[in-house]
Amino acid sequence: MRTLKLLLIPVCIAVGAQASAQGNAVPDLLLTTPATPEVIQKGLHADGYSLAIMAYYWGYPLVRMERVAREYTDVPSPKPTTSYRAPLDHIGWATSLASPDAKDMPTANNDTYYMSAVLDLTEPYVLTVPDTHDRYYVVDVFNMWQELEHYIGRRTTGTRAGKYVLVPPGWKGTLPKDAKRLDVSTRKVWLWGRLHVKQGEETAPVLALQKQFTVVPLRGKVPNDATLPPLPRTDNDEFGFFTELAAALKDNAIKPADRALFAQFARIGLTEKGFDPGKLDAATRKGMAKGLSDAPAVAISSFASTSTVRNGWNWVTGLDRFGHNYPLRAMVAGPYLGGQGEHEAMYPIRYTDSTGQTLSGANQYVVKLASAPPVGAFWSLTMYNADDKMLVANDLGRYKVGSDTPGLKVAPDGSITIPISHTKPTGENAANWLPAPSGNFYVILRLYQPSDAILSGKWELPQLNKIN
C-alpha cells in the first residue's frame, strides 16, 4: 500500500501541474493558426516588413559611411572655406567655422575647424600631430560601421607632438618605434577632427597649425588621383538601399557577433553573395517596401529608448560604444554623424520648452545657466533649423552663444541668461541673444570634456522657458 502511494504521488503532481498550466497559460496561437493562403500572405508580408527594418538599421551606418567616403573625397573647385573635403588618403581642413551655407555636415558645430581624411589602408598609415600648446583638438578614428575606435587629442593623448600608426586588419610587419600602434577593424577608416577656434581670434596661427597634421603610408607616397570605385547606381529602384548594402559588404566583413542576425536577411534576398530579390513573392516585397519607408522612424525613435531626459534635455550616452544598439548607431550615423562619447563631449539636445511645446521662432524663450558649465575645455549653445538640421542664418551672423562669445554677459552671481527669439530682444541680457529662425528649431548645448559634476547630474542642465 505504501509503495502504491509513493507511485501515485508523481502522477498526481504531474496531473496537477498540467491542470494548473492549462488553467493559467496564455493561448498558444501557433498551435491554432491555420496554414490558409490568407495567413501565409499575412506572414510573408510581416516577415518582409520586419526583416527590412532590421536590415536597414543594422546596415545603414555602413552604407552611410561608404557614401560619405566618396562625398568627402570629391573636392569641389573652388573649395569653400567651410569644406574639409580632400582627396582619398589626404587630410582636408575647413579654414573657417561652419555657417548656414555649409551643407556637408548636418548639426555641425560652430566652435571648431573640422578635419576629414578618408584612408584606404592598403598598408599602415602614419598620422603625425603637432604640439597645439593646450589648444583643444581631437582626431576620431571611425571604422566603416561609424564606430569610434580611437581618440587622439587633448583629453586622451595630450597636446604635445606625436605619431600614431593606423594598422589595418591582418597586417603583419615592423612599425616605427616612435609611433603608437592603433589597430582598426576595417580597411577603410575615417579620421574626423576638430580644432578649437575662439570667436574673433587671429586665425593665421591656427591655419599654420593645421598644416602640421600629416598622414602618409608607412612605405611609399600617396598619388593625388587615387579614388574609390563608385557605388552601384540604383536610380529609382525601391530596394536600391539593399543593393548598396550588398556592395558595401563585399569590402567590409560581417562581424562574428552579427552573423546570426545577418543570416536572417537571406529570406529577403540579402546574402554575402549580394542582393537578389528575383525569387521574392509579392507579399514579401510589399512588406519590405513598407519596412524601408518606416525604418528611418525606428532609428530616430531610439532617442526614446536609449536617452534619458534631464530637465527637458535629451541626454544620450554611449556614442562610442553602441554594442548591439543598431537603431542608435544608425540614428547617429545619419544626422549626428561623427558624434563622440560622453567623456570627450556631451550634446544635450532640446526640442521643446518647459511645458513640452515644440520650440518655434514665433515665441520668445530664455535659458538661464546657474553658472558656466564646469567643462575641461569649452561650451556652447547652438541653434539649428528643425527641418534641415542646419545652422540658422541671421543678420548678426551668430549661430551659438558660449564660453568664447565676445561680450558674454555674466551676472554677479555667476549665472548666464541667454534670450532666444527670432527678433532681437531688449534688456540687460540682449548681448547674449541667440537668434532663432521664424519656424521650428532645436538647440544643442555642447560640453567639451565635461566634468564628473556634469556627467553625474550634480551640475543641473538649465531649463528653457517661454516668456511670452
Side-chain angles (χ1 to χ4, degrees):
M1 191 71 177
R2 177 182 173 86
T3 302
L4 179 60
K5 287 181 178 179
L6 291 174
L7 289 172
L8 287 173
I9 288 174
V11 175
C12 292
I13 292 174
V15 172
Q18 183 178 6
S20 176
Q22 289 174 345
N24 298 322
V26 175
D28 189 338
L29 297 181
L30 185 57
L31 298 181
T32 58
T33 299
T36 62
E38 293 78 15
V39 168
I40 297 297
Q41 292 300 299
K42 179 181 178 181
L44 290 172
H45 182 278
D47 198 35
Y49 178 77
S50 60
L51 287 173
I53 288 178
M54 285 192 290
Y56 179 89
Y57 62 59
W58 174 79
Y60 176 83
L62 181 60
V63 172
R64 168 79 161 139
M65 288 292 286
E66 288 287 359
R67 292 170 180 170
V68 164
R70 287 154 179 81
E71 291 172 13
Y72 288 8
T73 55
D74 182 13
V75 185
S77 181
K79 178 181 171 181
T81 58
T82 58
S83 175
Y84 34 76
R85 297 190 182 198
L88 183 66
D89 298 327
H90 289 74
I91 287 176
W93 279 103
T95 55
S96 66
L97 294 174
S99 70
D101 295 327
K103 303 297 185 182
D104 275 350
M105 176 62 64
T107 321
N109 77 52
N110 188 243
D111 307 302
T112 69
Y113 287 167
Y114 280 118
M115 184 205 89
S116 175
V118 177
L119 307 180
D120 185 8
L121 302 179
T122 53
E123 61 176 301
Y125 271 57
V126 179
L127 172 68
T128 301
V129 301
D131 189 337
T132 67
H133 304 285
D134 201 44
R135 181 185 293 272
Y136 176 87
Y137 87 93
V138 65
V139 176
D140 303 323
V141 182
F142 285 93
N143 66 20
M144 292 304 289
W145 295 92
Q146 216 279 161
E147 294 169 333
L148 210 170
E149 296 193 315
H150 301 286
Y151 293 95
I152 301 165
R154 185 174 183 266
R155 179 182 65 89
T156 54
T157 59
T159 59
R160 292 185 178 181
K163 288 184 179 180
Y164 304 88
V165 57
L166 303 165
V167 182
W171 185 89
K172 295 180 180 180
T174 303
L175 298 175
K177 294 182 179 180
D178 62 343
K180 181 178 180 180
R181 176 174 179 146
L182 300 177
D183 288 283
V184 296
S185 60
T186 54
R187 199 179 94 165
K188 288 197 296 294
V189 295
W190 179 43
L191 306 187
W192 183 230
R194 300 166 177 86
L195 182 63
H196 185 215
V197 183
K198 293 183 178 180
Q199 208 73 24
E201 77 167 301
E202 174 59 45
T203 59
V206 186
L207 299 179
L209 198 58
Q210 289 180 341
K211 296 177 181 178
Q212 298 176 53
F213 288 78
T214 63
V215 63
V216 294
L218 186 61
R219 301 181 296 268
K221 184 179 180 181
V222 179
N224 287 325
D225 58 353
T227 60
L228 295 171
L231 292 172
R233 292 191 59 178
T234 57
D235 296 324
N236 295 320
D237 182 358
E238 64 177 343
F239 300 135
F241 172 82
F242 294 125
T243 300
E244 284 190 72
L245 177 56
L249 288 170
K250 293 186 182 301
D251 293 325
N252 299 278
I254 299 164
K255 297 179 181 181
D258 290 351
R259 287 201 164 274
L261 173 64
F262 181 77
Q264 307 306 308
F265 303 148
R267 298 205 298 280
I268 56 172
L270 180 63
T271 67
E272 290 184 85
K273 295 181 180 180
F275 176 61
D276 181 9
K279 297 181 180 179
L280 299 178
D281 59 274
T284 300
R285 292 176 68 98
K286 188 175 180 180
M288 289 169 62
K290 179 71 167 103
L292 280 180
S293 68
D294 288 350
V298 175
I300 294 298
S301 71
S302 64
F303 255 139
S305 60
T306 61
S307 69
T308 57
V309 178
R310 290 190 178 184
N311 213 19
W313 300 79
N314 286 101
W315 180 269
V316 184
T317 58
L319 301 192
D320 54 1
R321 55 182 192 283
F322 295 115
H324 293 102
N325 193 339
Y326 303 124
L328 178 63
R329 185 177 67 177
M331 189 268 290
V332 173
Y336 307 107
L337 181 72
Q340 305 178 103
E342 62 268 24
H343 292 288
E344 188 68 34
M346 273 304 301
Y347 312 92
I349 190 168
R350 187 85 190 223
Y351 298 97
T352 60
D353 63 21
S354 58
T355 66
Q357 299 301 305
T358 299
L359 299 175
S360 169
N363 302 313
Q364 297 176 353
Y365 306 91
V366 67
V367 170
K368 184 176 182 179
L369 292 81
S371 66
V375 294
F378 54 96
W379 64 272
S380 65
L381 181 68
T382 310
M383 170 69 60
Y384 298 96
N385 275 308
D387 293 338
D388 61 9
K389 298 179 173 60
M390 296 296 173
L391 297 168
V392 175
N394 60 84
D395 294 338
L396 193 60
R398 175 182 287 179
Y399 312 116
K400 58 96 183 284
V401 172
S403 51
D404 61 0
T405 298
L408 182 70
K409 186 179 185 301
V410 181
D413 64 356
S415 64
I416 302 170
T417 300
I418 303 174
I420 299 175
S421 58
H422 181 55
T423 57
K424 187 174 181 178
T426 58
E428 60 179 343
N429 294 303
N432 296 348
W433 175 44
L434 180 60
S438 58
N440 293 345
F441 65 87
Y442 64 95
V443 292
I444 293 180
L445 179 60
R446 285 186 170 83
L447 305 164
Y448 294 85
Q449 293 185 224
S451 65
D452 289 340
I454 291 176
L455 295 177
S456 68
K458 183 178 180 180
W459 183 84
E460 291 188 4
L461 294 174
Q463 190 50 269
L464 194 156
N465 295 306
K466 186 171 76 168
I467 58 173
N468 66 321

